[in-house]
Amino acid sequence: MRERSVTLTWTAALLTSALGAALLFSAELGINWPIWVAAASVSVILCRLIAHKSVELPLVILLTWATLLSFGSALRDNEITRGPVIMSDAMLLGLAILVVGSASWSALSAKLLAAVPFLAPFRVWRATANEGAGALGSGSSPKARSIIKGALLSAPLVLVLIVLLGNADPVIRWGTDRLSAWLPDWSFPGRVLFFVFLLSLTLGANSIASRQALADLPRIPGLIRRATIGLTEQRMMLWSAAVVIWIFVVLQLSYFIQPPPVLADSGVTFAEYARRGFGELSFAATIVGAIIIILEYTRPAEATEQDRKKLVRLEIALLIALVLVLFSAFRRVILYEQAYGFTTARLFAQAYMVVMCLALVALGIEVARGSISIAFGRRVAEIALGVFTVLVFWNYEAWIVNRNIDRATQNGKFDLDYAMRLSKDAIPTLISRRAEIPTETRELAESWLSCVPLPAERRWFEWNRSVRATDRALRPLRALRGASQTPCATPVRITPPPTPPDTVD
């Protein structure tokens, strides 16, 4: 049984690494990324099953979430989310390896996230070295084992030296070029080095999955509570913050009944009122939430149960006010979008407010229970990753174009300059609704769209839904442009003038 497990560990690692080197190296990101992430996740699960180890819930959740999130690279062609998707997948896969053997999801804490970039590669490469040493131990004689070990140690050194010296010596360069021509599908040495790199990761991950029966979570020491803030100081800080924020909340609620009184005499338009402050309000809610955590952490040990209950009531009241402040900030962004249009920056600001609001609710639950547990950091990470996953799968740029065109049908203003800066995710929607764009910008929009280059041909494993939809939407326009024999010219980008104060309400 042990030999069967080792065989599967090596076979799955070799196949997964070969798949990654074939599909990912020097290729456009598309369906190839989720294929490889899914293959790596399945190989870890198979190694655990063949070794008769239990497949725990945290491992399944992390591997499934990594695979699900990786499909964002096949659905969207957006540079804003592409890098974070890869980084998030790497963090989830690394975290999955760290929690192998953990039976309970509640045992995980946010401290693990800080350890993943350092501890996960160390454990994986250590397991790879142990697996390689174990393979060497199966040799028939000490001499044979020495030869195999020397070959394994020398091969990476030779590859690295050839890469470094090939650019300095024409003879070595000529030799590597001839070898590359002989092996066109496995270019030397780049793809081979990439294969070795993937093998060093997948072999270690599979080895940990097959060998580790019990959890081996890192023992991250907690912070030593040396500093404390007295009860009087805590009450003063909470009362002062609560009074100021609740005064602000009451003022905001009064504005639902009548406009802010400053607008009448100060020359501040309603659009300016909507623009001003949503960043400041979000930052204020963030720092006050952090202060509550610090006060919980520095609470004196001699505080009585009555003192703690009073402070908890103050903190709950303050958290409720902070949630209302975030609602006000969210509403201001909506008002500003109605006045000046929708953009990704404003949408991301709203997403941040949603994350902060949910995080404050989670903090309120912890405070009401009497103390902040290790689960709080994990819940915040889950909330942030959940909102990010929604953004990855949601074509928010198409939604932005739709909202801006809807707005343009009412006020006759469309920001073509901003629409031209969006990614391919927005182009199909812009083409399908171009007839609804105001007349003064419609010709410029059609001229620019008809001259947008068609996406380059992609291999099957580089398939991307957004790129394919863009290609299908652009081809009819290019055909019309060819039929009319009108040369392409870069349209002049225009930015609509700001909305007059008297028309924003």
Side-chain angles (χ1 to χ4, degrees), residues 364-420:
I365 295 174
E366 296 288 322
V367 169
R369 289 176 178 174
S371 64
I372 299 178
S373 66
I374 62 172
F376 172 68
R378 188 188 70 245
R379 292 193 183 104
V380 174
E382 291 168 355
I383 291 168
L385 187 59
V387 172
F388 174 68
T389 303
V390 171
L391 289 175
V392 168
F393 282 87
W394 176 35
N395 191 350
Y396 58 84
E397 289 193 344
W399 179 85
I400 288 172
V401 170
N402 277 321
R403 299 288 77 76
N404 284 336
I405 292 178
D406 291 341
R407 178 175 170 273
T409 58
Q410 299 175 2
N411 61 17
K413 295 180 176 62
F414 181 76
D415 191 351
L416 178 61
D417 179 70
Y418 177 75
M420 292 166 61

Side-chain angles (χ1 to χ4, degrees), residues 427-428 430-432 434 446-455 467-486 488:
I427 289 180
L430 191 59
I431 291 175
S432 64
R434 66 186 187 278
E446 292 180 343
S447 175
W448 173 72
L449 287 170
S450 62
C451 294
V452 172
L454 294 175
V467 173
R468 184 181 182 185
T470 300
D471 182 81
R472 289 183 172 181
L474 286 174
R475 287 190 181 278
L477 286 180
R478 296 297 292 268
L480 290 175
R481 171 68 64 177
S484 63
Q485 300 297 320
T486 304
C488 279

